[in-house]
């Protein structure tokens, strides 16, 4: 298989996506605890709801990279190497961190460390801590990847209309879940993100042409993204968006808003990432963002523990100023501490077991 050139600016994309993840988790507490009359509430709410593209953006990026790399050279030997690497660099760290969080929660909440049944059940569902469901979704997509590759290669209509196919399949799944499946924890199911995955596949297969088109009309894409972001956040503002519709229709409107906004977010992140990288390839700031991007998996795995510890020792205060200062600093801590751990451990022999690759 011909080795494809690495797309360096995607590390900036990874940084922006992991920053959005940290925004969501860092602002969840003030959005929950603060009065809606607080002057700071809109700030936290906008950061939280506006960053909801974070996990789908990583799935989009994963599909882009996989199809960019493997589309022209997928065979049995390549598939064997593909799954071996995912087992070593994704599944092994996931199991270790799942056990870490299971142990930590058991100690804090007085649970039993010997309840292996509960641990294994939560391991399979990504429930040993709130953020680990994402890895389960990734594993589901890795399992589906050969099938998707086969469909795209064998069926010319799918290959020529990947985004349309994504819209159709996403709609079919939405209707099936509404009428038949009734899955409650849809965030843990790969089919919830099919549109973003096939959008990423389309971008990866036609990467050069895709990027030329985006950059040529980048101002229009970014303006559309910003407008959709404002509309998406407004629709979630408490009491701001009333629809005199049945519950199912309300659900449809809200989910449609989500899929459109997130799709444009993935495109917008590509444009911003390339623009930032191209204008400062040698600049120290860009190098820092790239370094953070390469450490994004480590940040994802570790930052919830950093936030938990930080809130236990820094945010538990009755002073409004200290609360807001500690909350904002939690973003910094959640980014810096895992990044420093990654820098320190990255060259060690068995680091892949903890931080993947």
């Amino acid at each position: 298989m011909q080795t494809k050139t690495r797309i360096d600016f995607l590390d900036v994309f990874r940084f922006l996506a992991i920053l959005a993840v940290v925004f969501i988790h860092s602002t969840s507490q003030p959005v929950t605890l603060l009065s809606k009359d607080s002057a700071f509430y809109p700030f936290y709410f906008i950061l939280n709801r506006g960053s909801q593209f974070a996990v789908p953006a990583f799935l989009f990026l994963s599909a882009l990279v996989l199809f960019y790399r493997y589309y022209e050279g997928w065979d049995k030997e390549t598939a064997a190497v593909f799954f071996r690497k995912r087992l070593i660099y994704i599944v092994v760290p996931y199991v270790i961190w799942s056990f870490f969080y299971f142990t930590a929660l058991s100690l804090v909440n007085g649970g039993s460390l010997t309840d292996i049944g509960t641990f294994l059940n939560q391991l399979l569902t990504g429930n040993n801590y709130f953020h680990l469901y994402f890895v389960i979704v990734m594993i589901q997509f890795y399992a589906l990847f050969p099938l998707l590759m086969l469909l795209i290669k064998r069926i010319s209509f799918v290959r020529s209309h990947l985004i349309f196919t994504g819209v159709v399949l996403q709609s079919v799944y939405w209707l099936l879940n509404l009428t038949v499946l009734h899955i409650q924890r849809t965030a843990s199911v790969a089919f919830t993100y099919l549109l973003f995955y096939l959008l990423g596949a389309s971008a990866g297969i036609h990467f050069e042409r895709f990027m030329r088109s985006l950059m040529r009309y980048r101002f229009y894409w970014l303006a559309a993204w910003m407008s959709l972001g404002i509309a998406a956040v407004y629709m979630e503002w408490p009491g701001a968006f009333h629809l005199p519709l049945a519950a199912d229709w309300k659900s449809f409107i809200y989910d449609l808003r989500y899929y459109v906004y997130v799709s444009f977010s993935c495109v917008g992140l590509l444009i911003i990432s390339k623009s930032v990288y191209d204008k400062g390839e040698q600049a120290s700031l860009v190098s820092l963002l790239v370094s953070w991007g390469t450490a994004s998996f480590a940040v994802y795995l570790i930052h919830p523990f950093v936030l938990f510890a930080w809130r236990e020792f820094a945010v538990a205060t009755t002073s409004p100023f200290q609360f807001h200062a500690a909350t904002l600093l939690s973003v910094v801590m959640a980014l810096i501490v895992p990044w420093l751990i990654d820098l320190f451990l990255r060259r060690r022999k068995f680091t892949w077991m903890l931080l993947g690759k």
Side-chain angles (χ1 to χ4, degrees):
M1 183 183 73
Q2 183 180 1
T3 303
K4 287 290 191 76
T5 304
R6 189 177 189 276
I7 310 170
D8 292 330
F9 78 83
L10 293 182
D11 284 324
V12 180
F13 186 110
R14 292 183 179 92
F15 166 75
L16 295 174
I18 199 62
L19 179 63
V21 170
V22 172
F23 278 158
I24 292 172
H25 296 158
S26 299
T27 58
S28 61
Q29 188 180 63
V31 166
T32 302
L33 297 180
L34 285 179
S35 166
K36 295 176 179 59
D37 297 326
S38 169
F40 288 91
Y41 183 82
F43 169 74
Y44 293 122
F45 186 87
I46 290 170
L47 270 184
N48 186 277
R49 297 299 191 267
S51 299
Q52 295 300 316
F53 58 80
V55 165
F58 272 117
L59 297 170
F60 162 84
L61 181 61
S62 177
L64 188 158
V65 172
L66 291 179
F67 280 92
Y68 171 80
R69 181 175 181 182
Y70 293 113
Y71 182 72
E72 295 177 359
W74 182 257
D75 53 34
K76 291 182 179 179
E77 292 183 2
T78 304
V81 173
F82 172 84
F83 283 111
R84 180 177 62 83
K85 286 185 176 180
R86 269 67 199 173
L87 176 64
I88 293 173
Y89 298 127
I90 301 295
V91 176
V92 171
Y94 168 70
V95 172
I96 291 174
W97 282 99
S98 292
F99 184 73
F100 170 80
Y101 282 108
F102 173 78
T103 302
L105 283 180
S106 297
L107 292 174
V108 170
N109 298 328
S112 172
L113 293 175
T114 60
D115 191 357
I116 303 301
T118 298
F119 167 72
L120 292 176
N121 178 64
Q122 294 178 166
L123 181 71
L124 294 175
T125 57
N127 286 329
N128 278 303
Y129 208 52
F130 67 85
H131 68 307
L132 293 173
Y133 77 93
F134 167 72
V135 185
I136 292 297
V137 174
M138 288 295 299
I139 292 171
Q140 292 174 47
F141 270 124
Y142 290 146
L144 287 171
F145 178 65
L147 176 60
L148 292 173
M149 180 72 81
L150 181 65
L151 289 175
I152 292 170
K153 282 182 171 290
R154 294 287 180 87
I155 304 176
S156 59
F157 180 85
V158 173
R159 184 168 60 253
S160 303
H161 303 85
L162 266 174
I163 298 176
F164 174 77
T165 301
V167 172
V168 171
L169 292 178
Q170 195 66 77
S171 301
V172 169
Y173 169 72
W174 187 89
L175 286 171
L176 280 175
N177 192 49
L178 179 68
T179 58
V180 179
L181 302 175
H182 304 298
I183 298 172
Q184 298 299 315
R185 297 187 73 253
T186 55
S188 300
V189 179
F191 295 110
T192 303
Y193 311 96
L194 264 177
L195 173 60
F196 314 127
Y197 206 75
L198 290 181
L199 177 61
S202 179
I205 294 171
H206 311 290
F207 184 73
E208 287 77 14
R209 186 175 67 188
F210 190 87
M211 288 306 303
R212 281 197 302 270
S213 177
L214 287 189
M215 299 309 291
R216 183 180 304 160
Y217 302 105
R218 59 187 178 276
F219 297 110
Y220 299 102
W221 282 109
L222 292 176
W225 180 28
M226 182 176 296
S227 301
L228 288 167
I230 293 171
V233 172
Y234 176 75
M235 286 180 68
E236 289 207 47
W237 185 263
F241 197 80
H242 293 288
L243 291 171
L245 299 170
D248 290 347
W249 278 105
K250 286 185 179 181
S251 174
F252 171 75
I253 294 295
Y254 279 102
D255 287 345
L256 178 64
R257 164 206 60 91
Y258 168 78
Y259 283 106
V260 173
Y261 170 59
V262 172
S263 297
F264 273 79
S265 298
C266 294
V267 170
L269 289 175
L270 274 181
I271 294 171
I272 292 174
S273 302
K274 182 164 177 56
S275 299
V276 169
Y277 189 86
D278 288 349
K279 290 182 178 179
E281 186 172 351
Q282 303 302 321
S284 57
L285 176 59
V286 173
S287 298
L288 179 62
L289 299 185
V290 167
S291 177
W292 249 312
T294 58
S296 59
F297 191 48
V299 176
Y300 195 91
L301 291 171
I302 300 171
H303 83 274
F305 180 74
V306 175
L307 285 177
F308 173 79
W310 182 260
R311 286 168 176 169
E312 284 293 308
F313 297 105
V315 187
T317 175
T318 57
S319 167
F321 174 79
Q322 290 180 346
F323 175 84
H324 296 304
T327 300
L328 295 177
L329 281 173
S330 70
V331 176
V332 178
M333 298 297 294
L335 284 171
I336 288 182
V337 172
W339 173 65
L340 290 176
I341 292 173
D342 183 86
L343 286 179
F344 178 74
L345 293 178
R346 179 55 57 188
R347 297 183 183 276
R348 297 330 191 252
K349 189 173 182 180
F350 295 105
T351 300
W352 61 267
M353 297 179 66
L354 288 176
L355 304 180
K357 183 178 180 181

